[in-house]
Amino acid sequence: SQQGEEDPQALSIQEGENATMNCSYKTSINNLQWYRQNSGRGLVHLILIRSNEREKHSGRLRVTLDTSKKSSSLLITASRAADTASYFCATDAAGSYIPTFGRGTSLIVHP
Amino acid sequence: GAGVSQSPRYKVAKRGQDVALRCDPISGHVSLFWYQQALGQGPEFLTYFQNEAQLDKSGLPSDRFFAERPEGSVSTLKIQRTQQEDSAVYLCASSNPGVGGKLFFGSGTQLSVL
């Protein structure tokens, strides 16, 4: 079973535009992570936000967390063609140490 | 090594064959996870090791799946009597408490059962 669900399933934008992806989850969490996966490769960690944090930045990435709504968003600003990939959120349910992934958002950035 | 290494990169098996997939985690990483990823889906948890101890195997889909990590480093995922529904990418990830839950993934083994 998958704890997190990303929305939208697919997103197609032009280079330079911002991309926003959302993640909803079902149970209380310790932390939430975002990963990126290029076609045919393993996942690469992007950013981790803890349950007591509300916002975090890393370069062109901005992540927010709303624990009352059990949701998170990932914003990629000034997107580049190289950002084309699938993006997954992963949550550690409270009391667990197993990161559980959603189905992902497929992002295509057109040059 | 510099990263998590998985082998083979691709494996084609005939239905009913046994397969063994290997994972070399980052040196010194205590935690090791196996995930199964079907096409177009997110990774699904299979099993978790802390050093050599298998602490959670709740995600293994059947008793045909078996994983081990005898010396607390290299891990092997074995699938006996493979079925077509076992076709997927098998991902290995390692982690350490000092990196705060961040997982480091290998490139995966793509298993195709014919």
Side-chain angles (χ1 to χ4, degrees), chain B residues 22-103:
Chain B
R22 177 188 168 107
C23 173
D24 262 288
I26 292 174
S27 179
H29 274 194
V30 165
S31 301
L32 186 145
F33 300 79
W34 282 98
Y35 288 86
Q36 180 191 60
Q37 187 176 25
L39 188 64
Q41 301 294 315
E44 292 264 8
F45 169 73
L46 293 177
T47 187
Y48 163 67
F49 290 86
Q50 188 173 80
N51 295 307
E52 68 278 4
Q54 188 175 22
L55 297 187
D56 192 325
K57 55 180 182 178
S58 62
L60 296 177
S62 77
D63 58 8
R64 296 186 296 103
F65 287 70
F66 172 77
E68 60 183 3
R69 194 186 185 197
E71 296 177 0
S73 55
V74 171
S75 177
T76 303
L77 176 67
K78 297 179 180 177
I79 309 172
Q80 297 178 320
R81 305 180 304 282
T82 52
Q83 304 293 316
Q84 282 190 320
E85 62 262 27
D86 300 334
S87 296
V89 175
Y90 291 85
L91 294 166
C92 174
S94 69
S95 184
N96 241 10
V99 296
K102 174 179 173 180
L103 297 183

Side-chain angles (χ1 to χ4, degrees), chain A residues 66-87:
Chain A
D66 187 335
T67 53
S68 67
K69 294 181 180 177
K70 292 187 170 61
S71 69
S72 172
S73 68
L74 170 67
L75 168 68
I76 304 174
T77 60
S79 63
R80 304 166 182 168
D83 295 328
T84 295
S86 291
Y87 292 82

Side-chain angles (χ1 to χ4, degrees), chain A residues 5-55:
Chain A
E5 291 297 334
E6 291 88 346
D7 169 62
Q9 284 191 320
L11 183 58
S12 180
I13 59 174
Q14 293 297 127
E15 213 168 22
E17 293 179 339
N18 295 341
T20 300
M21 290 159 264
N22 303 295
C23 170
S24 59
Y25 57 91
K26 298 172 185 170
T27 63
S28 297
I29 60 171
N30 297 319
N31 60 56
L32 185 145
Q33 304 179 64
W34 284 91
Y35 287 80
R36 162 199 170 123
Q37 185 178 36
N38 287 83
S39 181
R41 306 302 303 265
L43 283 76
V44 175
H45 182 267
L46 295 176
I47 197 164
L48 179 150
I49 187 166
R50 301 204 181 280
S51 59
N52 61 354
E53 297 176 310
R54 291 297 167 258
E55 188 170 314

